[in-house]
Structure formats: C-alpha cells, structure tokens
Amino acid sequence: RKMKNQLFLVAEVASLVLLLSYGCSKYQKAPQSAPEVAVNVSQLQPDEVVRLYYESFDRKDYATMYALISDGFKQLEPTAKNYELFAAEMDKYFNNGKGVQVVEVNKPDISGDSAVVSYKILLQLNTGDREFESAFTLRKRHNGWKLIHPYGQNVDTS
C-alpha cells in the first residue's frame, strides 16, 4: 500500500511539472515594443536623421535608431521585425567595437520624397579605429524622413 501511494505521488508530481511547463511555454513573453524616444524624429531633415542614427548608435540608444528606420524595412529585415530583435542585432557590434563617431554628414540631395545623404564615420573597434564612408537613401513618410536601407540586404522600395 505504501509503494502504491509513492507511485501515485510521483505520477501526480510528474503531471504537475508537465502542466506547468506547457503553461509557461504557451504564454511566452511578447516581443518588447520600442521605448519612447526623447526626440521628435518626424521633424528632422534627412542629414539630421543620419547624424542622429549614428550618435544614437554610439550611445546604444537603440530606441531612437529604431524610430529612424522605415516601417517597410522593419517588415523586410528579419533582425528588425521588432525592437527586441533590432536591439540584439545592434548590440552585436559592441562585441568587437567600443563606439561610433560621426566624422561628417553632408547636406542631402533631395528629389521629391527621396533623399541621399553621404556620410563618414569612425568605427572604434577593439582592433583599432576604421573610417567608413557611404550614403543612406531616405524616404519621406507620414512620420518624417526614414532610412530605407540602414543595414543588411533588404531595401524598402515601398
């Protein structure tokens, strides 16, 4: 009789553990939404967007960076589908780098709702500093100028 009670107790505990683990996996936490941004990004000019993007990157202010990216890019790029994924992707830089300094942001070449801004930054890597030059394409959206291709292969063509 004592053995039967012990087996019953073990079966009850095992069932409870299975039930709890199922319940916890079923209700995993939802992706975190981006924190509020202190700057009204909808009022920025294209060159200000580029400068702020890299200044925010240097401060690890990923919420501001995320606010400067087009919604179309966020839909296309797997690492930008939500703020949590984006922040994790940006944080990878700091495994090899210490910071990012803006060297130069040129005046935008604006044509209608599209702008191109060339820039130069200094990547402060653990192995030494490296200068990098490129250009961003931005599009004017209802909520301001947005980067349509900040990184990766995907480009928001909407």
Side-chain angles (χ1 to χ4, degrees):
R1 177 158 173 102
K2 186 177 181 184
M3 179 111 151
K4 209 179 211 183
N5 285 344
Q6 285 177 336
L7 285 174
F8 182 70
L9 182 62
V10 168
E12 266 188 354
V13 169
S15 296
L16 186 60
V17 168
L18 283 172
L19 187 62
L20 284 173
S21 65
Y22 171 75
C24 290
S25 67
K26 187 176 177 185
Y27 297 104
Q28 291 178 349
K29 81 174 186 175
Q32 181 183 349
S33 61
E36 285 295 314
V37 176
V39 178
N40 184 355
V41 297
S42 66
Q43 301 299 312
L44 299 175
Q45 293 302 307
D47 52 323
E48 295 170 319
V49 169
V50 172
R51 181 174 297 282
L52 182 58
Y53 183 78
Y54 281 116
E55 288 172 349
S56 299
F57 192 25
D58 186 58
R59 292 188 309 269
K60 298 183 183 182
D61 177 3
Y62 304 139
T64 298
M65 292 175 73
Y66 198 65
L68 299 171
I69 295 172
S70 74
D71 290 339
F73 180 80
K74 292 172 186 174
Q75 292 171 5
L76 293 169
E77 175 57 43
T79 62
K81 290 245 184 255
N82 62 52
Y83 173 73
E84 198 170 67
L85 291 170
F86 176 78
E89 183 67 18
M90 294 300 104
D91 227 14
K92 288 179 184 177
Y93 169 78
F94 291 98
N95 292 333
N96 302 315
K98 298 176 270 191
V100 179
Q101 285 189 338
V102 176
V103 175
E104 178 179 68
V105 176
N106 296 309
K107 290 291 176 199
D109 179 11
I110 300 175
S111 177
D113 286 348
S114 186
V116 176
V117 177
S118 60
Y119 63 90
K120 188 185 302 184
I121 58 173
L122 184 67
L123 299 170
Q124 298 168 314
L125 303 170
N126 295 337
T127 56
D129 294 352
R130 195 178 109 213
E131 220 169 65
F132 178 77
E133 282 185 67
S134 192
F136 275 132
T137 300
L138 299 92
R139 292 263 165 34
K140 180 81 169 173
R141 304 292 193 211
H142 70 280
N143 55 351
W145 288 97
K146 301 294 178 181
L147 300 167
I148 62 165
H149 178 68
Y151 65 90
Q153 301 298 313
N154 295 307
V155 179
D156 173 11
T157 57
S158 62

